Amino acid sequence: MSHRILLLLVLAALPAWPVDREIIQLQRDMALLQDQVRTLQRSNDEKFAALQQLLTQNLEASKGLTASLAAIEKTVQGQEKVLAAPVANVSARVDTLATQFQALKESVDEVNGRLVKLQAQVADIKNLVSTVPPPSAPAATPAAPQVSADTLYRNAMRDFQAANYDLAGPEFNEYIRLYGSTDQAAEAQYYLGEIFFQQKQYNEALGAYDQVLERYPEGRMTANAQYKKGLSLVQLGKRTEAMREFRDVTKKYPNSPAATQAMAELRKMGPVPGAAAKGKASKK
């Protein structure tokens, strides 16, 4: 009896072994699945955290952009307020200029109309004048009183000494025209040369000094005129001709101050170019 019971117990226990293996395998699968679920949950948590951080950054950037847009809008509004008055002023000035231009145009049109009428009147006057006989010759007016020689010469000298050459020149010319035969006419002609010389018009000065030499060869200013003629030639670069004039002064007027000055100029200028070569050739 006891053996039978033991056999039954063994037989009853035999099917339980495969069942336990399946449970153990199932438990392992459940544990593995739980690990995978935990891993997936952890990954989702990390991704969610990263997504939440990005969302926070986007919100902060959006706040910064909103603030920037608000500042820009405020600046634009400020600029509009600043520019509103100048723009209004410019617009008002443009309107004023347009009004003034219209008024000016109307004035020009009115002036043109008057000019047309005036031209017609001038044409009528010309036609009328052409029919009027020429007037008789008017009576001769009395000539203005002539200035005395002394007064004219004193005025010219006063202006010359004050360097008022624009006044002195015409006055000396007038003196020569009216009183060309007097002793002071030679001096007037000489001072004309001096005016040209002071103004560095050396060609004109040469002409004036030549007039002294030709018209007044015995005058008091003749020696000075020839000496200043030599200086004018020096200024014009005509060295040989200048030395010839200086030598003539020393020969013709040896005792004059002009001769002393001419001799000093000759010493400064030295020998005439080519004179030494000519002297040697003549000795040979």
Side-chain angles (χ1 to χ4, degrees), residues 16-282:
W17 288 102
V19 174
D20 291 339
R21 292 194 192 99
E22 291 178 359
I23 291 173
I24 293 170
Q25 184 65 37
L26 183 60
Q27 289 176 347
R28 290 175 180 174
D29 292 340
M30 287 295 293
L32 180 60
L33 182 60
Q34 288 177 353
D35 289 339
Q36 291 178 352
V37 169
R38 283 195 295 271
T39 301
L40 181 61
Q41 183 67 34
R42 191 181 305 111
S43 177
N44 288 336
D45 291 342
E46 292 175 354
K47 291 181 179 179
F48 181 75
L51 183 61
Q52 189 173 8
Q53 185 177 2
L54 289 174
L55 181 60
T56 302
Q57 292 176 352
N58 288 335
L59 288 174
E60 292 177 355
S62 177
K63 290 179 181 179
L65 181 60
T66 302
S68 299
L69 289 174
I72 292 172
E73 184 177 2
K74 186 177 180 180
T75 302
V76 170
Q77 291 176 353
Q79 292 294 331
E80 288 179 352
K81 292 180 180 179
V82 172
L83 294 176
V87 169
N89 291 335
V90 170
S91 178
R93 291 180 65 182
V94 169
D95 293 340
T96 302
L97 289 174
T99 303
Q100 292 176 352
F101 179 77
Q102 182 62 31
L104 180 61
K105 183 176 180 300
E106 293 175 357
S107 299
V108 170
D109 293 339
E110 182 180 356
V111 170
N112 288 334
R114 291 182 180 179
L115 285 176
V116 172
K117 293 179 180 179
L118 183 60
Q119 288 175 350
Q121 292 175 359
V122 169
D124 294 339
I125 291 172
K126 286 183 178 180
N127 294 332
L128 181 61
V129 168
S130 63
T131 61
V132 176
S136 58
T141 57
Q146 184 172 298
V147 182
S148 67
D150 289 341
T151 301
L152 184 57
Y153 186 81
R154 282 198 304 270
N155 292 340
M157 282 301 300
R158 183 184 64 249
D159 291 327
F160 173 78
Q161 291 169 353
N164 295 326
Y165 300 137
D166 292 340
L167 297 176
E171 288 169 342
F172 282 129
N173 276 319
E174 183 68 9
Y175 185 91
I176 294 169
R177 185 181 70 83
L178 296 176
Y179 310 105
S181 59
T182 63
D183 293 337
Q184 288 182 325
E187 298 177 17
Q189 183 64 50
Y190 171 79
Y191 286 119
L192 282 175
E194 290 293 275
I195 291 173
F196 288 127
F197 190 89
Q198 293 298 327
Q199 294 177 331
K200 299 182 179 181
Q201 300 177 14
Y202 300 114
N203 283 315
E204 289 78 2
L206 278 176
Y209 294 136
D210 279 334
Q211 286 293 316
V212 177
L213 300 176
E214 293 173 5
R215 297 178 61 182
Y216 312 100
E218 303 299 329
R220 290 184 299 175
M221 307 303 293
T222 306
N224 290 336
Q226 190 164 10
Y227 167 70
K228 293 304 292 283
K229 178 182 178 182
L231 290 181
S232 300
L233 290 169
V234 171
Q235 295 296 328
L236 292 172
K238 299 178 180 181
R239 186 168 178 268
T240 303
E241 297 179 20
M243 295 180 74
R244 185 183 307 119
E245 296 297 329
F246 292 145
R247 287 196 182 93
D248 285 346
V249 172
T250 59
K251 292 178 182 179
K252 294 179 181 178
Y253 316 99
N255 299 322
S256 65
T260 303
Q261 294 173 326
M263 186 63 69
E265 290 294 329
L266 286 170
R267 283 195 294 268
K268 285 195 302 184
M269 297 174 69
V272 181
K278 291 181 179 179
K280 291 181 180 179
S282 62

